[in-house]
């Protein structure tokens, strides 16, 4: 991706990879504008925080316009409009138009709900560069079950709208235990809908996916088979469709670099204006993340404790501090370290050098078991009522190891 004239970055994963290559000056090249947590879907793996129902007072139009201008002045070149469902916001076209005027490459991550022909035309006129459309599965039954809505036919119509408006057809399907066995059908659906890009993003276990981990984490056999089939389709289809297969962290021996480096290239603004170095960082205790209502983005990015705490390597404890591979992963994900060990400064337990690696290996071994021995509670669908219940500790989450 060229900073002066951003080109299409087809998926969030692909865009992050492209953006990271330009991250030599530590500026927030990628801006994720989570403009609302409101959403008509109830996905069991949603990455929105479990306590999202406590978020009130969304930023108004003027607040978001100021964010776009300040982030662009800092060097941001790519802006993703996300949620929740961004189409819930009536001012989305205004925000897209301003982002386009400022020179951002813009994309929208959507379920498709609310994208009519008229709305698509307005977004096209506003300058939206691409849309990433999510499906839950290749069948109506599983798609509608996982989202707790009847949206499969709607998504098919939206896929056609995207093609009719000349946008790249970018499809995202979260892969997990309940659909991994049908990866071939998912790929065939993407081909039938004439997708140019398909992101097969195995669920990562944060937020709602962590709550439902026992239902969602695939077996090793499922994962190997799904990746093999994906590679077979890649060989067969060639350049007609680009496919990204993202392996779940739990099946790796080394963690990923946290957002390509904490406070290095990625800036999230939540619906109420809280600025975060990643979309789940608000969960971390002992950190204060500023709000754009109170501070300008330049001060937030360079001066706030929330963005500086885990920058670089000075915060590291052993085994990361003396690890010869520390520059490759910077200790891994701070949120995953906190969720699974209770201390955000620990090594990401995905790493087999971590003192807490067993919490991941135990989860993986549990995933090989039949349902009766693996699952302790029913699926919990994302929604305001469940959010309030979980926020008050009414449901059990995966256990942590002592810090």
């Amino acid at each position: 991706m060229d900073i002066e004239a951003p080109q299409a970055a087809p998926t969030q994963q692909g865009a992050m990879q492209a953006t990271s290559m330009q991250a030599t000056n530590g500026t927030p090249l990628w801006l994720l504008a989570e403009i609302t947590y409101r959403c008509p879907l109830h996905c069991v793996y949603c990455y929105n925080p479990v306590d999202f129902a406590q978020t009130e007072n969304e930023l108004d139009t003027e607040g978001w316009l100021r964010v776009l201008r300040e982030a662009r002045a800092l060097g941001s070149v790519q802006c993703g409009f996300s949620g929740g469902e961004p189409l819930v916001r009536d001012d989305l076209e205004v925000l897209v138009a301003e982002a386009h005027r400022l020179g951002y490459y813009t994309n929208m991550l959507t379920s498709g709900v609310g994208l009519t022909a008229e709305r698509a035309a307005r977004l096209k006129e506003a300058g939206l560069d691409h849309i990433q459309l999510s499906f839950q599965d290749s069948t109506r039954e599983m798609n509608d079950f996982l989202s707790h809505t009847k949206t499969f036919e709607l998504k098919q119509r939206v896929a056609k709208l995207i093609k009719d408006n000349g946008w790249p057809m970018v499809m995202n399907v979260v892969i997990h235990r309940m659909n991994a066995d049908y990866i071939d059908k998912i790929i065939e659906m993407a081909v039938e809908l004439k997708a140019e890009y398909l992101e097969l993003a195995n669920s990562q276990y944060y937020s709602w996916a962590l709550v439902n981990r026992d239902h969602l984490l695939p077996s090793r056999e499922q994962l190997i088979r799904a990746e093999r089939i994906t590679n077979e389709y890649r060989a067969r289809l060639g350049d007609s469709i680009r496919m990204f297969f993202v392996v779940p962290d739990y099946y790796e021996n080394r963690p990923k670099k946290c957002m390509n480096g904490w406070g290095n290239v990625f800036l999230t603004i939540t619906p109420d204006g809280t600025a975060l170095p990643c979309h789940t960082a608000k969960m971390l205790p002992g950190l204060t993340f500023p709000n754009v209502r109170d501070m300008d983005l330049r001060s937030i990015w360079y001066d706030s404790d929330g963005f500086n705490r885990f920058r670089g390597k000075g915060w590291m404890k052993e085994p990361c501090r003396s690890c010869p591979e520390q520059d490759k992963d910077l200790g891994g994900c701070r949120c995953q370290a906190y969720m699974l060990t209770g201390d955000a400064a620990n090594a990401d337990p995905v790493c087999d050098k971590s003192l807490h690696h067993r919490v991941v290996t135990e989860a993986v071994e549990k995933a090989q078991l039949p349902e009766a021995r693996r699952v302790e509670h029913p699926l919990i669908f994302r929604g305001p009522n469940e959010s309030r219940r979980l926020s008050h500790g009414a449901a059990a989450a995966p256990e942590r190891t002592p810090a």
Side-chain angles (χ1 to χ4, degrees):
M1 183 178 70
D2 185 279
I3 289 182
E4 296 301 319
Q7 302 299 310
T11 65
Q12 186 166 351
Q13 180 77 9
M16 283 301 297
Q17 290 170 350
T19 306
S20 67
M21 292 188 291
Q22 301 288 344
T24 56
N25 56 356
T27 56
L29 297 178
W30 173 287
L31 171 66
L32 180 64
E34 293 185 325
I35 57 178
T36 184
Y37 284 147
R38 289 174 287 158
C39 186
L41 272 60
H42 307 280
C43 300
V44 295
Y45 45 72
C46 180
Y47 73 83
N48 285 165
V50 170
D51 64 354
F52 77 86
Q54 297 181 9
T55 300
E56 299 177 348
N57 301 320
E58 291 179 359
L59 279 180
D60 61 14
T61 305
E62 287 305 314
W64 278 112
L65 292 175
R66 180 168 54 82
V67 165
L68 291 172
R69 292 164 190 154
E70 291 184 3
R72 188 72 180 102
L74 272 175
S76 296
V77 295
Q78 184 146 335
C79 178
F81 292 98
S82 180
E85 174 50 65
L87 289 162
V88 170
R89 292 276 302 222
D90 294 335
D91 58 356
L92 177 61
E93 291 88 339
V94 175
L95 304 183
V96 170
E98 178 65 1
H100 178 73
R101 185 191 71 80
L102 290 166
Y104 285 98
Y105 182 87
T106 56
N107 72 309
M108 178 176 70
L109 289 73
T110 180
S111 67
V113 177
L115 189 64
T116 61
E118 295 75 19
R119 195 105 196 251
R122 293 201 300 270
L123 287 167
K124 186 72 175 180
E125 184 179 2
L128 184 65
D129 289 300
H130 91 254
I131 295 176
Q132 181 172 314
L133 177 64
S134 68
F135 276 79
Q136 280 66 40
D137 193 65
S138 61
T139 67
R140 178 192 305 107
E141 293 75 16
M142 186 57 76
N143 182 92
D144 293 355
F145 170 73
L146 290 167
S147 65
H148 226 45
T149 59
K150 295 181 178 180
T151 55
F152 186 70
E153 280 81 8
L154 179 148
K155 289 172 182 287
Q156 301 272 332
R157 294 194 297 271
V158 167
K160 185 176 185 304
L161 270 179
I162 292 172
K163 296 293 292 186
D164 289 347
N165 279 276
W167 282 303
M169 182 61 210
V170 183
M171 185 182 300
N172 175 280
V173 184
V174 176
I175 304 301
H176 46 78
R177 191 180 193 96
M178 289 184 281
N179 66 5
D181 292 335
Y182 310 106
I183 198 90
D184 53 341
K185 303 300 182 186
I186 291 170
I187 295 171
E188 288 168 7
M189 177 183 69
V191 171
E192 182 179 346
L193 293 174
K194 298 181 172 61
E196 285 94 351
Y197 306 97
L198 173 62
E199 182 168 349
L200 301 165
N202 274 274
S203 181
Q204 307 293 348
Y205 295 95
Y206 303 82
S207 304
W208 295 86
L210 183 64
V211 172
N212 289 306
R213 189 178 69 187
D214 289 348
H215 292 273
L216 297 176
L217 187 62
S219 70
R220 188 175 288 104
E221 181 181 359
Q222 283 183 301
L223 188 64
I224 291 171
R225 178 180 179 274
E227 189 165 20
R228 174 179 57 77
I229 290 173
T230 300
N231 287 332
E232 289 171 358
Y233 271 91
R234 280 183 178 136
R236 187 187 314 167
L237 297 170
D239 295 334
S240 63
I241 180 171
R242 291 187 63 191
M243 288 183 277
F244 302 84
F245 187 89
V246 184
V247 176
D249 288 358
Y250 282 44
Y251 281 95
E252 302 280 14
N253 289 325
R254 291 290 184 273
K256 63 181 181 297
K257 185 181 286 187
C258 184
M259 305 311 295
N260 289 295
W262 178 281
N264 191 25
V265 299
F266 193 89
L267 171 63
T268 295
I269 308 297
T270 68
D272 68 354
T274 303
L276 302 172
C278 82
H279 51 265
T280 58
K282 200 172 183 180
M283 73 171 72
L284 300 180
L287 278 179
T288 301
F289 293 104
N291 194 291
V292 297
R293 303 176 201 264
D294 307 316
M295 290 178 67
D296 65 273
L297 279 183
R298 181 170 293 276
S299 298
I300 288 172
W301 182 258
Y302 289 111
D303 302 330
S304 68
D305 176 56
F307 278 80
N308 282 311
R309 180 72 65 87
F310 295 113
R311 270 190 174 124
K313 298 179 288 186
W315 57 271
M316 287 182 176
K317 303 195 300 185
E318 294 295 351
C320 298
R321 181 173 294 170
S322 58
C323 179
E325 300 179 59
Q326 61 177 230
D327 289 320
K328 293 181 180 178
D329 56 43
L330 295 177
C333 176
R334 299 302 87 224
C335 295
Q336 194 151 259
Y338 169 67
M339 288 185 298
L340 299 181
T341 76
D343 185 348
N346 281 334
D348 186 333
V350 162
C351 183
D352 62 12
K353 296 183 179 184
S354 166
L355 299 177
H356 307 281
H357 183 56
R358 66 179 177 83
V359 74
V360 171
T361 58
E362 287 172 0
V364 167
E365 291 310 310
K366 189 176 183 181
Q368 317 313 311
L369 300 175
E371 183 175 4
R373 296 176 58 194
R374 189 183 73 251
V375 175
E376 297 177 3
H377 64 75
L379 272 170
I380 299 176
F381 291 87
R382 176 203 192 273
N385 291 337
E386 290 297 343
S387 173
R388 296 184 189 97
R389 187 172 70 87
L390 291 169
S391 299
H392 290 89
E399 293 183 1
R400 299 171 181 161
T401 57

